[in-house]
């Protein structure tokens, strides 16, 4: 299943909508999480690591990381220190990983840009780790990103809208749903460009009239009835 190839024609927004259609939680990294290089894209299985002040947790994660995996670093969302720099990113690249997502900050921005491996974080700061803490039991098994626990059963997706985590076991289903959403939106956009407003496409006047007699009618229910679903 060529998920990376399929994701090339999709966005995280398409996949987020697909999660809603499939009745799954939409698990996004916190909104400030952005690519160091705009336009970067990620698609690979999660390789979790909990940062405790030392680089060895990352080196350990690389030992058994799958080709194309995405290092997911849990530094508790800290904004007073960086936890990943150019050497970790370079080592991740050498280990065959497809990118890095950090719930925290990075540094060595210019060098990271030059390496070319996609890196997403909450931002940058010059200082490195400020203290060394005890290892966390189960650190390699999962990373916490925002409110979500992320581990090897998850697929990491990233683009200019941010980072999304989806279950690998459901990826094929979600990608198929996302492709349908993409195609519907493209057709609707083409029709708008061709002079047919979206309101006419979704028969919005009919919806307003029907809502007068049935105030409980939702727009989503109307969209499903007329076959023009653009949201779920």
């Amino acid at each position: 299943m060529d998920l990376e190839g399929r994701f090339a024609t999709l966005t995280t927004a398409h996949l987020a909508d697909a999660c809603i259609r499939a009745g799954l939680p939409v698990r996004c990294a916190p909104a400030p999480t952005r690519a160091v290089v705009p336009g970067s894209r990620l698609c690979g299985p999660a390789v979790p690591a909990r940062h405790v002040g030392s680089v060895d947790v990352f080196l350990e994660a690389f030992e058994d990381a799958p080709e194309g995996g995405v290092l997911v670093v849990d530094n508790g969302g800290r904004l007073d220190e960086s936890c990943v720099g150019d050497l970790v990113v370079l080592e991740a690249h050498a280990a065959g990983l497809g990118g890095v997502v950090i719930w925290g900050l990075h540094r060595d921005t210019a060098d990271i840009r030059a390496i070319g491996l996609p890196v997403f974080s909450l931002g940058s700061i010059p200082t490195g780790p400020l203290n060394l803490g005890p290892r966390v039991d189960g650190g390699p098994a999962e990373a916490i990103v925002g409110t979500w626990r992320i581990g090897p059963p998850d697929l990491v997706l990233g683009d200019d809208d941010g980072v999304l985590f989806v279950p690998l076991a459901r990826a094929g289903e979600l990608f198929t749903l996302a492709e349908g959403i993409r195609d519907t939106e493209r057709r609707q956009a083409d029709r708008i460009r061709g002079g047919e407003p979206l309101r006419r496409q979704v028969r919005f006047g009919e919806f307003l009239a029907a809502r007068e007699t049935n105030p409980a009618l939702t727009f989503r229910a109307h969209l499903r009835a007329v076959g023009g679903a653009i949201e779920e």
Side-chain angles (χ1 to χ4, degrees):
M1 182 165 41
D2 181 18
L3 296 178
E4 187 173 1
R6 293 174 73 181
F7 183 57
T9 66
L10 295 168
T11 67
T12 53
H14 293 138
L15 271 299
D17 287 351
C19 288
I20 295 173
R21 297 270 179 101
L24 294 173
V26 182
R27 296 182 295 155
C28 297
T33 308
R34 288 292 179 267
V36 174
V37 178
S40 298
R41 292 175 64 85
L42 284 175
C43 180
V47 178
R50 289 190 183 181
H51 182 252
V52 292
S54 175
V55 73
D56 66 295
V57 294
F58 304 134
L59 302 182
E60 182 178 349
F62 297 153
E63 283 289 286
D64 299 311
E67 184 77 18
V70 176
L71 181 68
V72 179
V73 180
D74 172 3
N75 199 32
R78 288 182 64 166
L79 300 178
D80 62 337
E81 67 172 26
S82 68
C83 60
V84 169
D86 62 327
L87 290 182
V88 170
V89 175
L90 192 59
E91 183 71 7
H93 191 283
L97 272 72
V100 179
V101 172
I102 309 163
W103 190 36
L105 303 176
H106 71 276
R107 68 175 176 177
D108 305 323
T109 300
D111 291 319
I112 287 174
R113 287 175 179 155
I115 293 166
L117 191 72
V119 175
F120 288 67
S121 80
L122 295 176
S124 62
I125 198 170
T127 185
L130 297 174
N131 48 55
L132 180 64
R135 287 185 59 83
V136 179
D137 290 341
E142 66 176 13
I144 298 173
V145 179
T147 59
W148 307 110
R149 294 181 179 273
I150 307 302
D154 293 310
L155 180 69
V156 186
L157 302 161
D159 62 14
D160 282 335
D161 282 329
V163 175
L164 176 72
F165 306 101
V166 303
L168 263 170
R170 303 283 297 273
E173 170 195 354
L174 292 172
F175 273 57
T176 297
L177 286 170
E179 287 159 349
I181 293 166
R182 174 203 63 200
D183 293 345
T184 296
E185 291 181 347
R186 284 181 177 175
R187 286 192 298 269
Q188 291 171 326
D190 286 342
R191 289 166 69 183
I192 293 172
R193 295 186 187 100
E196 184 182 3
L198 184 61
R199 286 164 295 160
R200 187 189 308 162
Q201 293 180 43
V202 299
R203 292 149 60 177
F204 193 65
E206 293 181 23
F207 166 68
L208 293 177
R211 196 177 60 184
E212 286 293 321
T213 58
N214 178 15
L217 178 67
T218 66
F219 187 51
R220 291 182 178 183
H222 168 76
L223 288 174
R224 286 191 290 268
V226 300
I230 56 173
E231 59 180 38
E232 282 293 339

